[in-house]
Amino acid sequence: MSSSLKVTLPDGTILDLPPGATTLDVASKIGAGLARAAVAGKVTRDGHSEIMDLSRPLPGDCCIKILTKSDDDPDALYVLRHSTAHVMAEAVCKLFPETQLVYGPPLEDGFYYDIDLPRSITPEDFAAIEAEMARIVKEDRKFTRLEMNRADGMAKLAAEQNRYKVDNAERAEGDTLSFYVTGDRCGQDFEDLCRGPHIPSTGVIGAFKVRQVSGSHYRGDVNDQRLQRVYGTAFFKKASLAAHLEQLEQAKARDHRVIGQELGLFTIDPLVGSGLILWKPKGATIRLLLEEHLRGKLREQGYQPVFSPHVGRLELYRTSGHFPYYRDSQFPPLYETETARLLNELWIALYEADKAGAADPLAGGVAKLLDELRIADPPKHAELVADPAKPDARRLASGPGHAAQNLQLVREHLQQSDGFLLKPMNCPHHVRIYASEPRSYKDLPIRLAEFGTVYRYEQSGELSGLTRVRGFTQDDAHLFCTPEQLPHELDACLSLTRYVLDMLGLGQYRVRIGLHDPKDPKFIHNPEGWRRAEEAIRVAAAASGMAATEEVGEAAFYGPKIDFVVKDCIGRQWQLGTVQVDYNLPERFNLTYVGPDNRPHRPVMIHRAPFGSMERFVGILIEHFAGAFPLWLSPVQMAVVTVSEKSDAYAREVHEKLRVAGFRAELDLSSEKIGPKKHRHRQAKVNYILVVGESEAAKGEVNVNDRDGKTLGNRPLEAFIEECRRESEERKA
RNA sequence: GCCACCGUAGCUCAGUUGGCAGAGCAGCGGUUUUGUAAACCGCAGGUCGUCGGUUCGAAUCCGACCGGUGGCUCCA
């Protein structure tokens, strides 16, 4: 062990310090000002970085970056907010002594603390919590780290009788447990089991706010204890908090639900149903322009159009696996007859009894359904249920080992009378289009495209404007190809998805590789299929050069996927485009093509949707542009505004010429002054406002104004049309 | 679905301890003939989300439901 510690600073300087030196010692050695501003140290050793308390001894030779009171440094804010979470927790415990603390991490823009408290915390409590926090901050108490060996620590926690902390500690790594005391009077001041790091003292917290409270569940498990999650945020400087809150306010003005209402793009009507979008003409125009543009691209890339209906037989979805597995998020099935309903319920009950490994598949729920069937349809009941005197292979069998046979039997009876499902996905329909004729390897790849509307019964609490709905249209396509063609096709799908995002200037997306979780039964069991599909996905993502994160459990139930994820105006993340590889549905539907060897082969499927859902995409786009769409997408591109009635005739002429030239123009002959008229069209985000008065009429000109309030001056109408034509064709975002 | 909050005119909002339902903007009709962010006069617009309860009397208090917002959970 060396007698001194070598500490490398970000600029490359190496400092020698005595063993046991702390980050604060490093800061002090550099300068007293830095020591005052320091809040923690980011210590890097062996390529591994860790943020440490100012007062903790450095672990050995290392690189160090001193984190200071800077609202521009995410690391510094992370530490600050973690500490502020402790302060808030103390305040809540003081006000509500029966509070049990659970977990309080920092977030990207603040922090939360999960608490177990019988009484509901409401926004009215925030002022009292903040006042208590302000007191703690004013006392400028030191954060003191306390380490204990695991046994002592566990004993201490057991004495506190807080199951959550005991749980947390049990899951913590290492032989020691650490606690942080907010103050230096251990045993008296507030303390919490915590890994750290923390700011040196509460006085460092310059500004904070308790923002909201919501429900949560312990460890994210709906069956576990319900908790309250109190959210807050903190900054070093008051001005930063004010700026942050101001920014949140401004973000709200971009909200597509607000803009959609103001600009008359869409509406959601309770009488029609929650989560069902009514596209008004202006919103429909935007969507249609996007669809038309993509259709052109698809033609270029060899896609073929198809159309399929909004419903399909339940048998279709039993084959695909959609039914009954995801029936909680499907609209209820439409049954042809009461017998069909009961047989379907029976099939589901048998299916679930089998999954659950029930000893007797005909017991419990199944028996009850059979009783119902006996009353509703005695002949069908007789056909299904065995006479104990005469065993028969064509009857339902009790006892273990008959699950597959029973399921098959009910399914056969369902051929006579079944039910329908509002389609949750387009793929089963497209698969049947593929299967409708013999396919040769020479025909592959076959790319079937449809703007297909699907219906999913999302939980009521999930619905949100255009971004989470119950009926939406996917710019869907299914590609059927040979395994050899897969990499090339995947690559083309990824490029297309990136093309649409880049075209609209949506550059801030995250790429997520969704993989299946072998432990989760919701994924189709086909290890080899998953292996090949996930391999293909990884290779394609890597080849595209995009930085992607792999997330286990995020796959579709039939295959892994690459998702393009964007954030909305309040920071929520939404999946837009998606590209998925599927070895499973071709198997379930027994799809084939004839290969060069004159033998049948199994095709591979790609599911892909560059926009994802038209609803969600347009919602995100509204927020991206704050309603001010580029010329080519704008529902109202220009408004012709008269100075007075004297120019009405000329205004009509201008309006008509714009219309003939293919533009979407509005004519405003109202008898107001041009100030308020112009103001109104600017509010409506009309790209160009053309003021026409007597002088314009005399010269055949228009006076061009943009929606930002700038007057661009006069020019001949023809010249303006030409300018707009160019701008529109450029599709500048 | 769960927790919290919210629901008054098309929009934004006011409405006192329970006592006749209000404003601005938008709309419509006039007047004005207007030169770049708001001319004037008038009219109309309401089952105060719905249903039930308490009360002499409910937008207001209570309950249930519907719808919305934020979060949780979910998201094939």
Side-chain angles (χ1 to χ4, degrees):
Chain A
M1 197 168 161
S2 71
S3 59
S4 80
L5 203 57
K6 286 197 192 320
V7 173
T8 311
L9 303 179
D11 67 358
T13 313
I14 296 176
L15 297 183
D16 277 314
L17 287 114
T22 65
T23 302
L24 185 60
D25 295 332
V26 177
S28 301
K29 191 153 182 178
I30 298 168
L34 182 63
R36 276 194 302 276
V39 293
K42 188 170 189 177
V43 176
T44 306
R45 283 187 92 201
D46 311 325
H48 174 76
S49 286
E50 187 189 358
I51 299 175
M52 294 182 67
D53 296 336
L54 223 44
S55 57
R56 278 187 77 185
L58 296 170
D61 291 354
C62 61
C63 298
I64 188 165
K65 183 187 167 206
I66 311 282
L67 304 183
T68 59
K69 297 171 189 168
S70 163
D71 288 323
D72 299 323
D73 182 348
D75 286 332
L77 282 175
Y78 193 81
V79 178
L80 173 76
R81 287 164 176 170
H82 186 182
S83 300
T84 311
H86 275 231
V87 171
M88 185 178 77
E90 177 178 343
V92 169
C93 289
K94 174 100 189 273
L95 290 165
F96 312 107
E98 66 276 39
T99 302
Q100 292 224 310
L101 297 175
V102 181
Y103 179 57
L107 301 169
E108 207 175 300
D109 66 346
F111 60 85
Y112 68 76
Y113 217 113
D114 275 348
I115 60 168
D116 182 357
L117 175 65
R119 169 198 190 283
S120 279
I121 290 194
T122 74
E124 271 111 66
D125 299 319
F126 291 176
I129 297 171
E130 285 172 353
E132 196 59 38
M133 289 171 72
R135 194 180 58 75
I136 299 164
V137 169
K138 198 170 171 210
E139 288 172 5
D140 194 18
R141 304 206 306 248
K142 269 202 241 162
F143 280 96
T144 312
R145 184 182 171 95
L146 211 91
E147 290 188 3
M148 274 184 203
N149 66 50
R150 181 164 277 276
D152 291 350
M154 291 307 293
K156 175 181 164 67
L157 287 171
E160 284 180 35
Q161 304 211 336
N162 176 325
R163 75 169 260 226
Y164 310 109
K165 287 195 189 181
V166 172
D167 267 17
N168 285 343
E170 273 167 1
R171 284 181 298 148
E173 291 168 5
D175 305 329
T176 51
L177 293 177
S178 57
F179 297 80
Y180 277 82
V181 182
T182 313
D184 43 21
R185 300 170 300 169
C186 299
Q188 283 184 62
D189 286 325
F190 174 86
E191 68 173 65
D192 195 4
L193 172 73
C194 181
R195 199 170 34 183
H198 281 284
I199 53 176
S201 69
T202 59
V204 172
I205 302 168
F208 60 85
K209 186 162 180 61
V210 178
R211 296 206 47 232
Q212 57 168 329
V213 59
S214 68
S216 67
H217 298 274
Y218 187 50
R219 294 159 90 165
D221 181 351
V222 276
N223 298 313
D224 210 319
Q225 178 63 43
R226 168 177 312 294
L227 305 169
Q228 298 186 70
R229 179 167 296 180
V230 188
Y231 287 85
T233 193
F235 289 90
F236 292 103
K237 298 185 190 69
K238 287 196 166 51
S240 303
L241 175 63
H244 176 73
L245 297 176
E246 169 66 19
Q247 200 192 330
L248 289 176
E249 277 305 307
Q250 285 182 3
K252 275 193 209 152
R254 298 179 85 90
D255 191 318
H256 74 276
R257 293 163 296 193
V258 175
I259 292 177
Q261 163 69 31
E262 282 171 0
L263 302 191
L265 303 179
F266 68 93
T267 187
I268 301 169
D269 181 355
L271 195 54
V272 173
S274 295
L276 300 171
I277 304 302
L278 299 170
W279 292 81
K280 298 172 59 157
K282 288 177 183 172
T285 299
I286 295 166
R287 168 172 160 183
L288 210 52
L289 287 160
L290 290 170
E291 290 184 6
E292 280 167 2
H293 182 67
L294 186 61
R295 278 202 184 91
K297 283 279 151 198
L298 295 184
R299 271 192 300 275
E300 282 172 25
Q301 299 197 3
Y303 285 78
Q304 296 173 288
V306 293
F307 290 109
S308 63
H310 288 223
V311 296
R313 276 185 59 197
L314 286 168
E315 184 61 13
L316 175 69
Y317 300 107
R318 266 191 288 275
T319 308
S320 68
H322 290 90
F323 186 80
Y325 215 82
Y326 285 94
R327 71 181 184 286
D328 284 349
S329 36
Q330 288 160 358
F331 278 83
L334 310 156
Y335 296 112
E336 285 178 324
T337 60
E338 176 63 5
T339 300
R341 184 185 75 80
L342 286 167
L343 287 179
N344 268 297
E345 297 269 336
L346 189 60
W347 187 81
I348 294 169
L350 285 165
Y351 177 92
E352 287 181 344
D354 180 33
K355 285 246 158 189
D360 182 359
L362 298 193
V366 173
K368 205 165 151 250
L369 284 164
L370 285 172
D371 280 346
E372 280 187 56
L373 183 64
R374 182 170 51 219
I375 295 160
D377 190 343
K380 181 61 75 184
H381 181 265
E383 278 181 58
L384 269 172
V385 176
D387 180 341
K390 296 180 282 183
D392 183 341
R394 304 305 299 157
R395 298 288 194 275
L396 289 176
S398 59
H402 295 104
Q405 177 201 325
N406 287 344
L407 282 166
Q408 184 55 34
L409 184 64
V410 174
R411 220 162 148 173
E412 281 170 24
H413 282 274
L414 276 167
Q415 298 298 318
Q416 293 161 25
S417 168
D418 196 358
F420 295 88
L421 197 63
L422 224 32
K423 71 175 169 189
M425 293 185 87
N426 298 303
C427 35
H429 288 86
H430 291 184
V431 161
R432 295 306 294 165
I433 292 175
Y434 176 91
S436 67
E437 50 186 290
R439 304 290 183 175
S440 152
Y441 72 97
K442 294 177 191 169
D443 304 328
L444 266 42
I446 287 171
R447 311 178 185 90
L448 304 180
E450 173 181 19
F451 286 84
T453 305
V454 297
Y455 298 88
R456 301 178 187 179
Y457 196 80
E458 303 289 356
Q459 301 183 79
S460 58
E462 289 301 336
L463 301 173
S464 181
L466 290 176
T467 42
R468 194 73 186 270
V469 295
R470 284 181 173 163
F472 59 95
T473 303
Q474 298 176 311
D475 56 326
D476 212 355
H478 295 93
L479 290 76
F480 301 84
C481 62
T482 68
E484 295 71 39
Q485 290 167 333
L486 182 65
H488 178 257
E489 291 303 312
L490 266 181
D491 188 48
C493 290
L494 288 177
S495 314
L496 181 63
T497 306
R498 297 170 77 183
Y499 166 80
V500 302
L501 292 169
D502 292 344
M503 169 181 76
L504 292 157
L506 287 168
Q508 302 289 90
Y509 54 78
R510 178 168 81 78
V511 181
R512 176 177 67 196
I513 298 180
L515 304 172
H516 84 302
D517 179 352
K519 295 189 294 291
D520 189 332
K522 81 176 178 184
F523 299 104
I524 289 179
H525 181 73
N526 176 356
E528 177 58 13
W530 281 105
R531 193 194 60 72
R532 292 162 72 188
E534 290 182 350
E535 169 73 9
I537 283 280
R538 283 200 178 100
V539 167
S544 74
M546 298 179 299
T549 55
E550 294 196 356
E551 294 179 31
V552 171
E554 286 294 316
F557 80 97
Y558 47 74
K561 53 184 190 167
I562 299 177
D563 290 333
F564 292 73
V565 179
V566 300
K567 283 186 189 174
D568 69 10
C569 68
I570 51 174
R572 286 181 296 207
Q573 300 196 34
W574 301 100
Q575 173 199 319
L576 291 180
T578 182
V579 178
Q580 314 174 350
V581 176
D582 180 6
Y583 280 86
N584 283 312
L585 290 188
E587 195 77 32
R588 292 180 79 99
F589 281 96
N590 193 24
L591 298 184
T592 58
Y593 64 89
V594 177
D597 56 358
N598 199 29
R599 298 177 65 83
H601 296 268
R602 188 77 75 211
V604 189
M605 266 176 84
I606 299 174
H607 308 235
R608 44 100 286 177
F611 291 132
S613 124
M614 298 314 294
E615 283 74 6
R616 180 176 289 176
F617 193 88
V618 170
I620 293 294
L621 213 51
I622 291 169
E623 299 191 354
H624 176 67
F625 291 123
F629 286 91
L631 191 64
W632 76 278
L633 263 185
S634 208
V636 183
Q637 298 170 299
M638 45 213 67
V640 185
V641 175
T642 49
V643 173
S644 81
E645 240 168 73
K646 292 175 192 159
S647 310
D648 281 6
Y650 179 63
R652 282 182 216 280
E653 188 187 322
V654 169
H655 179 250
E656 179 60 12
K657 282 188 174 157
L658 290 169
R659 199 187 64 78
V660 168
F663 291 108
R664 301 175 290 279
E666 271 183 4
L667 180 60
D668 182 356
L669 304 179
S670 62
S671 69
E672 281 159 303
K673 295 195 175 184
I674 54 176
K677 283 208 224 185
K678 195 175 148 182
H679 177 66
R680 207 172 39 244
H681 295 292
R682 283 183 56 198
Q683 296 290 313
K685 308 288 182 196
V686 173
N687 301 62
Y688 295 110
I689 301 159
L690 308 179
V691 175
V692 297
E694 291 172 277
S695 80
E696 284 78 14
K699 294 189 222 155
E701 291 184 343
V702 288
N703 175 262
V704 183
N705 301 264
D706 70 15
R707 58 193 168 193
D708 299 323
K710 215 166 5 167
T711 298
L712 306 177
N714 280 38
R715 64 207 68 186
L717 174 59
E718 297 313 321
F720 173 72
I721 287 178
E722 199 40 48
E723 282 171 31
C724 287
R725 189 165 282 152
R726 251 198 316 272
E727 182 181 344
S728 190
E729 276 164 11
E730 279 175 17
R731 277 196 195 81
K732 235 177 10 214

